[in-house]
Amino acid sequence: MNGREFVRRARRYARKTDQYFFFDPTQGKGSHGRVYVGEYSTIVKYGEIPPNLFADMLKQLDINRREF
């Protein structure tokens, strides 16, 4: 999964669960941006996301992997 797909799926998840969503590309260095879902946030890189980093990002957003 890459960062663009992660942001798209996070937006869809937030809409489905009726939560606040915002992506701020200025809140990161270089090829990174910050995603806000509800009251949680995480940094997303635009390139390919390794599986262990993907799991950590979901944990930071308090999202169950099966629901995402």
Side-chain angles (χ1 to χ4, degrees):
M1 171 177 294
N2 64 26
R4 198 172 274 192
E5 183 180 348
F6 184 88
V7 171
R8 188 170 41 247
R9 289 176 65 179
R11 181 180 291 120
R12 191 177 312 140
Y13 172 82
R15 197 176 298 144
K16 182 174 72 172
T17 58
D18 198 32
Q19 294 186 50
Y20 171 77
F21 173 85
F22 183 67
F23 174 67
D24 189 0
T26 63
Q27 291 295 312
K29 286 190 168 187
S31 63
H32 293 71
R34 184 171 290 272
V35 170
Y36 299 88
V37 176
E39 59 187 59
Y40 302 101
S41 69
T42 190
I43 297 290
V44 177
K45 72 176 198 168
Y46 296 129
E48 196 63 31
I49 300 173
N52 58 344
L53 180 60
F54 175 70
D56 289 342
M57 290 164 63
L58 289 180
K59 187 182 284 188
Q60 290 174 0
L61 292 174
D62 195 31
I63 298 175
N64 185 344
R65 188 177 190 135
R66 293 182 182 167
E67 294 176 5
F68 193 72

